[in-house]
Amino acid sequence: CTYAEEGYDCDGNLLDCTGDVTGDGIVNVLDIVSLTNYVLQTSDEINFECADFNDDGLVNVLDIVAIVNIILGRVDMDDDATSAQLLRSDKAVQLSSDGYIGGVQMTLSHGSDFSIELTEDALISEYNTVGNETILVIVVPGSEDLFTYTGDFEIIEMIVANSSDEVEVGMPVEFSLSAAYPNPFNPTTSMTLSVPEAGHVMV
């Protein structure tokens, strides 16, 4: 073409649309909502190039966190988490970390008797259930509590992000006590106790 408006290519596309998911020329809460709906699979309409903020070929909670950082003006990243531990009890899931957590995205597989209630102490806490699968997004959680639940579930996929990168997460394990061996025994026997996190225990 011989002419294009400033900031647009010949086809009318923004030359730099990073974060402007809605295509209205500004980055704001509407972009976060649109991006969250796409990640939760409640909407499939999105400008992928504009939504993929970190340019990794994927659209997920990392992109949501990046846009939130722009809107909130968060530039001090010295307190970012480098590791986290997911703790699961029989009614709740918590995430403890050594610093700032920007967001969590999970895909859960479960039966029809499963129900979930996300924390309200977060910038965004939304989920979408289709059949026996639930996708959840929690952005800037204000505490370690992520959600409470009834029924049983399995985590199929999980992303935990600090302000810019994925954080390594220790997955939950359940309390368990193995059978004694040998049994019957004389004079000693052995058994294994597994606990969700390191610490002193009494049995």
Side-chain angles (χ1 to χ4, degrees):
C1 66
T2 57
Y3 173 79
E5 287 186 54
E6 186 176 342
Y8 292 82
D9 65 15
C10 295
D11 297 322
N13 300 313
L14 281 169
L15 294 174
D16 181 13
C17 65
T18 305
D20 183 16
V21 181
T22 59
D24 60 2
I26 54 174
V27 176
N28 58 24
V29 69
L30 297 175
D31 300 298
I32 295 173
V33 170
S34 182
L35 191 49
T36 301
N37 289 339
Y38 180 81
V39 171
L40 292 174
Q41 298 180 2
T42 58
S43 172
D44 57 1
E45 295 181 16
I46 200 168
N47 185 329
F48 194 91
E49 289 183 6
C50 299
D52 183 15
F53 191 94
N54 61 2
D55 202 28
D56 63 356
L58 302 168
V59 172
N60 55 33
V61 71
L62 290 165
D63 302 298
I64 298 172
V65 169
I67 295 173
V68 167
N69 288 340
I70 289 175
I71 294 171
L72 297 180
R74 182 173 163 74
V75 293
D76 180 13
M77 311 301 184
D78 293 339
D79 60 344
D80 269 354
T82 57
S83 65
Q85 180 75 26
L86 193 68
L87 306 171
R88 176 178 171 180
S89 70
D90 60 350
K91 294 181 180 178
V93 173
Q94 295 179 315
L95 182 72
S96 64
S97 68
D98 61 355
Y100 175 77
I101 295 295
V104 177
Q105 177 182 334
M106 287 187 199
T107 303
L108 311 177
S109 176
H110 50 77
S112 58
D113 62 341
F114 177 78
S115 67
I116 188 170
E117 186 172 335
L118 300 184
T119 178
E120 294 181 1
D121 188 13
L123 187 65
I124 298 169
S125 58
E126 298 287 340
Y127 73 92
N128 180 39
T129 300
V130 177
N132 291 336
E133 192 169 285
T134 295
I135 300 172
L136 66 90
V137 172
I138 300 172
V139 178
V140 192
S143 69
E144 293 185 349
D145 299 324
L146 296 182
F147 60 87
T148 57
Y149 66 93
T150 59
D152 196 20
F153 70 90
E154 178 184 345
I155 300 172
I156 298 174
E157 183 180 38
M158 177 171 60
I159 301 171
V160 175
N162 55 29
S163 65
S164 60
D165 296 308
E166 195 166 342
V167 175
E168 185 176 326
V169 180
M171 293 297 289
V173 293
E174 296 179 355
F175 288 97
S176 65
L177 182 64
S178 71
Y181 181 82
N183 184 15
F185 62 92
N186 183 14
T188 63
T189 189
S190 298
M191 62 191 73
T192 301
L193 172 67
S194 298
V195 294
E197 59 182 344
H200 296 285
V201 296
M202 293 180 65
V203 180

